[in-house]
Amino acid sequence: HFSVAATLSEIDRLSQLAPIRVITLAPEVSGHLDIIRELSARGVRMQLGHTLGSYDDGVAALRHGASGFTHLFNAMTPLLHREPGMDDRVPTSAQVFQMATEYGAQTTGFAGLIGTLEPGKAADLVLMPWHHLAYPYLDPAVSVIDAVVHRGKVSGVETVLVAGAPVLRDGQIVRVAKA
């Protein structure tokens, strides 16, 4: 495993080339906790990943402002290792869903327009019939979010709305946006 320590000056230099919305850092690398605190205060979404850090390194980074994980199992210590690694704190289905929607939108620069369902934002929706999630059996105690995250498949998508307008209906493309 090989990690290069990031520096705030290097990140600032790179952000002059293009806006940086998300950064993944290994929290055990010297100086990275300070960078996590500074950049999360600036509104950059700080993720943990590509790390051999311990559980305690992960908790410290989350307390400094890290808010998610990238490449959760790349280079991390295994679950049965004597010293717990960060992969012992597996995100919940709700957290995974939020990473894919709200936090995904933040990485595009359109967070003010998409990513959550609220007044004034575009209604970007993917609709799947329940039977695509529940077949052949789904325990009634399983939440909708758990079912979508763990059982949702592209083949089950029947309708896609972008800004409230259908682009896919009954599995068929009905509209393509012009570039």
Side-chain angles (χ1 to χ4, degrees):
H1 178 73
F2 175 76
S3 292
V4 175
T7 64
L8 200 51
S9 62
E10 180 68 8
I11 293 168
D12 287 340
R13 186 184 71 74
L14 292 170
S15 70
Q16 297 302 311
L17 301 173
I20 296 175
R21 308 230 189 274
V22 178
I23 294 178
T24 299
L25 292 178
E28 76 278 9
V29 175
S30 178
H32 281 189
L33 291 178
D34 292 332
I35 291 171
I36 289 169
R37 178 177 295 161
E38 172 64 26
L39 293 180
S40 65
R42 294 184 194 178
V44 176
R45 182 158 176 73
M46 300 303 298
Q47 303 275 110
L48 307 178
H50 304 287
T51 176
L52 290 173
S54 68
Y55 176 81
D56 292 333
D57 292 326
V59 169
L62 292 168
R63 288 186 178 142
H64 278 75
S67 55
F69 301 88
T70 304
H71 301 274
L72 187 59
F73 293 101
N74 285 11
M76 294 183 186
T77 54
L79 289 171
L80 300 177
H81 195 273
R82 282 180 282 163
E83 181 180 353
M86 271 186 276
D87 49 1
D88 296 336
R89 184 186 159 140
V90 176
T92 65
S93 295
Q95 290 168 326
V96 170
F97 190 80
Q98 187 177 30
M99 286 181 215
T101 56
E102 180 181 356
Y103 299 155
Q106 290 174 5
T107 68
T108 68
F110 295 103
L113 301 172
I114 63 172
T116 58
L117 293 176
E118 56 187 278
K121 288 196 174 182
D124 293 347
L125 305 170
V126 174
L127 306 176
M128 293 180 220
W130 183 250
H131 68 270
H132 282 284
L133 298 170
Y135 179 84
Y137 173 77
L138 184 65
D139 188 302
V142 173
S143 73
V144 172
I145 293 290
D146 284 335
V148 168
V149 168
H150 293 284
R151 300 185 75 168
K153 295 180 176 57
V154 173
S155 61
V157 175
E158 287 192 357
T159 303
V160 175
L161 304 175
V162 175
V167 295
L168 184 81
R169 184 181 292 132
D170 297 323
Q172 302 297 314
I173 295 172
V174 295
R175 182 173 65 101
V176 177
K178 295 180 182 177

